[in-house]
Amino acid sequence: MLINLGYRHSSLPGGIPLAQFLISAVVFGWDGQALKVLLIQRNEPPFEGQWALPGGFVHMDEELEAAARRELEEETGLSDMYLEQLYTFGGVARDPRGRVVTVAWYALIDLHRYAQPVGASDARDAAWFAVTSLPPLAFDHENILNTAFKRLQAKIEYQPVGFELLPKKFSFTQLQQLYETILGEEFDRRNFRKKMLSMGILTELQETVSGVPHRGARLYSFDESRYRELERTGFQFKI
């Protein structure tokens, strides 16, 4: 296997250089109004000072998912989140440091559960940006981010991954706004509510939205154990 996991200057016999393995993580968060992505400001060349996706080189003795979680925690302080492998990016000229292959991951979090990320390690800063208003990105990270967003748009229609972006307790308005924002379309309120409730995976709570000048809407929670039980019987989540 002609790859080198983390050693930047190794080569095969005869001086043939090995490819390097990196991980990059696209972390999506929802603040109740906009879908956002976490970026870090690079503190080292190449592209020093530019914004990029969190990530870094994989250690020789490290599993890929472990590397993704380690880099996220080292560069942003974030941990314990939904994480899924996205795609492998291996264009020959994608990194000025040499032949680099990146295994990309995407993560989904509820922004309200986490403190403001802080840049650390080789990240000068870390911040959330709306996916509709991004700065220029280093390397080919715009392509990686777009690929992750398309994956999210597709997956949110057939698996309940959207609930990873919501608070544990949410209103139907919040749920519908999330789906409309990600999919870029509007849903009829009554039809959306009826479809969601008909799946039997939401629990109605004896609580309402607080801190509003009018009567607060009823809150719900996602019943993951019920969903897994239904899934085993052939149930399919579909929006």
Side-chain angles (χ1 to χ4, degrees):
M1 182 168 62
L2 306 184
I3 56 175
N4 172 39
L5 303 186
Y7 291 86
R8 303 191 184 190
H9 302 294
S10 297
S11 62
L12 291 170
I16 301 173
L18 296 177
Q20 313 299 308
F21 256 47
L22 281 167
I23 63 93
S24 289
V26 183
V27 184
F28 290 115
W30 171 255
D31 67 359
Q33 294 182 317
L35 183 69
K36 295 189 172 182
V37 66
L38 180 63
L39 300 177
I40 58 100
Q41 189 176 33
R42 289 181 57 79
N43 200 35
E44 298 178 357
F47 302 105
E48 182 177 359
Q50 273 194 248
W51 292 94
L53 297 170
F57 284 92
V58 181
H59 296 166
M60 178 65 83
D61 59 350
E62 193 173 36
E63 298 291 340
L64 290 175
E65 182 173 342
R69 293 189 182 278
R70 172 183 56 77
E71 284 289 345
L72 278 171
E73 188 161 9
E74 286 180 358
E75 292 190 342
T76 69
L78 298 182
S79 61
D80 187 26
M81 65 187 72
Y82 175 92
L83 188 67
E84 181 177 326
Q85 192 168 320
L86 174 65
Y87 193 74
T88 300
F89 296 82
V92 174
R94 57 183 303 275
D95 192 313
R97 291 169 293 191
R99 186 70 173 96
V100 174
V101 176
T102 289
V103 180
W105 298 73
Y106 77 98
L108 306 174
I109 70 170
D110 165 24
L111 284 178
H112 301 95
R113 289 181 52 208
Y114 295 86
Q116 176 65 27
V118 177
S121 184
D122 55 355
R124 183 179 303 174
D125 194 7
W128 291 100
F129 291 84
V131 295
T132 56
S133 183
L134 296 171
L137 300 183
F139 304 103
D140 59 348
H141 287 189
E142 181 178 352
N143 181 36
I144 296 176
L145 197 158
N146 288 337
T147 302
F149 182 57
K150 290 176 182 176
R151 171 73 65 84
L152 176 60
Q153 284 183 309
K155 194 159 189 175
I156 200 172
E157 293 194 84
Y158 68 87
Q159 282 192 8
V161 295
F163 294 105
E164 299 287 346
L165 293 160
L166 289 167
K168 295 297 183 183
K169 302 174 183 179
F170 52 85
S171 68
F172 257 97
T173 297
Q174 290 175 303
L175 180 60
Q176 184 169 340
Q177 286 177 338
L178 172 68
Y179 272 82
E180 288 180 340
T181 299
I182 293 175
L183 295 175
E185 60 180 289
E186 293 186 6
F187 296 100
D188 178 82
R189 183 177 178 182
R190 287 198 296 178
N191 288 342
F192 182 84
R193 181 185 182 91
K194 182 179 179 180
K195 177 174 284 189
M196 279 292 184
L197 288 175
S198 70
M199 296 186 204
I201 58 176
L202 297 182
T203 299
E204 185 176 354
L205 306 175
Q206 299 304 310
E207 300 176 54
T208 58
V209 176
S210 60
V212 292
H214 49 78
R215 183 180 178 181
R218 180 73 68 179
L219 293 175
Y220 292 79
S221 64
F222 171 56
D223 190 339
E224 184 174 0
S225 61
R226 175 61 175 161
Y227 169 70
R228 297 302 175 193
E229 179 184 336
L230 289 170
E231 192 177 36
R232 286 193 291 271
T233 67
F235 167 81
Q236 292 185 330
F237 181 90
K238 184 172 176 59
I239 296 298

